[in-house]
Amino acid sequence: MNLIMQQLPIVIRSLNAGFVQTLKLFLVTLIGAVPLGLIISFGSMSRFKPLSAFTKTVVWIVRGTPLMIQLLIIYYFPGLVLGNAIWGGGESGRFMAAAVAFIFNYACYFSEIYRGGIQSVPVGQQEAGLVLGMTRTQIFFRVTLLQMIKRIVPPMSNEIITLVKDTSLARIIALQEVIWAGQAFMKGSQGISGAIWPLFFTAVYYLVFIGILTIVLGRLEQKLEYFQ
Amino acid sequence: MPILEAEHICKSFGNTEVLKDISFSLEKSEVLSIIGSSGSGKTTLLRCLNFLERPQGGVIRVNGETVFDAAETGTKNDAEIRKRRLHFGLVFQSFNLFPQYTALQNVMLAKELLAKEQPDYKARKKEIHDEIEAEAEQLLTDMGLADRMQNYPHQLSGGQCQRVAIARALALRPDILCFDEPTSALDPELTGEVLKVIRGLADQKMTMVIVTHEMAFARDVASQVIFMDDGYIVEQGTPEQVFGAPKEERTRQFLSRYTQG
């Protein structure tokens, strides 16, 4: 116990740095995947058959293979197979590759949630807009969008919570996120080695952050309760 | 000149012919009631007038101007169709109010979006907004909803919702206001308040096309009646003719079910 108390400040500093990287990956993924998912959902819903078939195939491949494999392919494929290491070396290169893999993967999941949300808005809403002389763009942004958002908050909350924990997969390309930071103390780092408790302790970071997210997303759900 | 002329309208969904050579005309300030059993094509006809369905054949004219001609092959651009459909207003059976907007916002929304297309919108923004708001408030007051303007649709009864929907359609000042079974989603107690509003509009000489199952109302409010069956117009004429002395056997059969019921 005494030993842990001595190690604690060093470990916390290191885990904090790792968690900053975790948070960065989480936020960048969210900012990228939320709009990209909408574009992909329009692709799947397109009346132009080749486009919708293509989009659905891409979504199938992305959802049908492990994110970990996608991370490895996106990070290593350009350098090892094409001979063009576009990501460069170092932590920033790893982060770029991870962000691309995560954004694309999550955008595909989001797109299916959006599609369900848009299609669950009654067709009468669109017809009402049309007979009132509104354009399709106006109908989407002024009528459909908010009703869709209200419907997708619960399933999106689920995905967002999963995303927080999935960022740990970036460990596979040695991105220095919080689990990487915890694991470092097993092999030996900053004079501490053979300690497994820092790795276990990383769970607390996830738990607290997801607790905060749950409250924020719950508030959003409440805010949208003003209409039915 | 009639305000509305429909000639030889034909519409099929796949192999099912829903409208078979429908022709009629309507003078300004007249009220046309369309009656008939479910599946007779009444609602489809109304949806064709409002450009929600595209007929395979026929011509629709408003004030002599051709707004739809199935023979024209070139696809109209959206802006042109939008302009033409504004001749018509449509009140739906299930109201289709926008749930995230208050009654007042529901009435104002489309008008505000249209106002943005005016060249002087930026300069007169506030003024235009106030005008639209004042008009919307007046319309809702006329509908007996002065104290309900700030309510959301889910806070209103069915009858109140339908009156908001009528105000919303009127806000764009359509030449012809169409009703698709406006009371079919309401319980009998609430039907009366909506019919009263429609009757009020008839008294103000609003040109209307009303698809309804309320036979007494159809007879009372209409200046013309069309009875449809299986996609055809079986009989048309004044309410006295169609209800009082129907010529066709099919019309008699249909009406007898209502008078006995």
Side-chain angles (χ1 to χ4, degrees), chain B residues 1-7 24-32 49 59-68 84 86-89 173-178 205-209 223-224:
Chain B
M1 183 175 47
I3 192 168
L4 172 64
E5 293 165 279
E7 283 173 11
F24 66 91
S25 70
L26 189 66
E27 295 294 329
K28 194 167 165 44
S29 303
E30 276 192 335
V31 176
L32 168 66
L49 293 179
V59 177
I60 299 169
R61 277 190 288 270
V62 175
N63 287 322
E65 177 204 349
T66 303
V67 294
F68 174 80
R84 291 176 176 196
L86 287 177
H87 289 295
F88 297 91
R173 300 176 196 272
D175 298 312
I176 300 147
L177 186 54
C178 302
K205 301 294 172 208
M206 182 79 208
T207 312
M208 294 188 281
V209 179
S223 34
Q224 256 204 76

Side-chain angles (χ1 to χ4, degrees), chain B residues 99-118:
Chain B
Q100 71 267 46
Y101 295 117
T102 62
L104 187 63
Q105 288 167 335
N106 262 280
V107 178
M108 293 171 63
L109 179 65
K111 193 106 193 246
E112 292 215 270
L113 292 174
L114 280 175
K116 282 190 182 166
E117 292 169 22
Q118 291 173 14

Side-chain angles (χ1 to χ4, degrees), chain B residues 174-247:
Chain B
D175 298 312
I176 300 147
L177 186 54
C178 302
F179 292 85
D180 182 15
E181 302 188 21
T183 59
S184 295
L186 303 176
D187 56 61
E189 270 185 273
L190 300 175
T191 301
E193 64 186 56
V194 171
L195 296 183
K196 208 172 107 190
V197 163
I198 300 174
R199 195 183 312 263
L201 293 174
D203 293 341
Q204 291 165 39
K205 301 294 172 208
M206 182 79 208
T207 312
M208 294 188 281
V209 179
I210 306 173
V211 167
T212 183
H213 289 297
E214 298 284 332
M215 291 304 142
F217 177 72
R219 179 175 191 163
D220 187 49
V221 79
S223 34
Q224 256 204 76
V225 178
I226 284 179
F227 169 63
M228 281 182 72
D229 187 48
D230 193 28
Y232 290 104
I233 293 182
V234 175
E235 193 153 354
Q236 62 180 313
T238 63
E240 292 73 28
Q241 285 166 344
V242 176
F243 287 100
K247 289 197 275 294

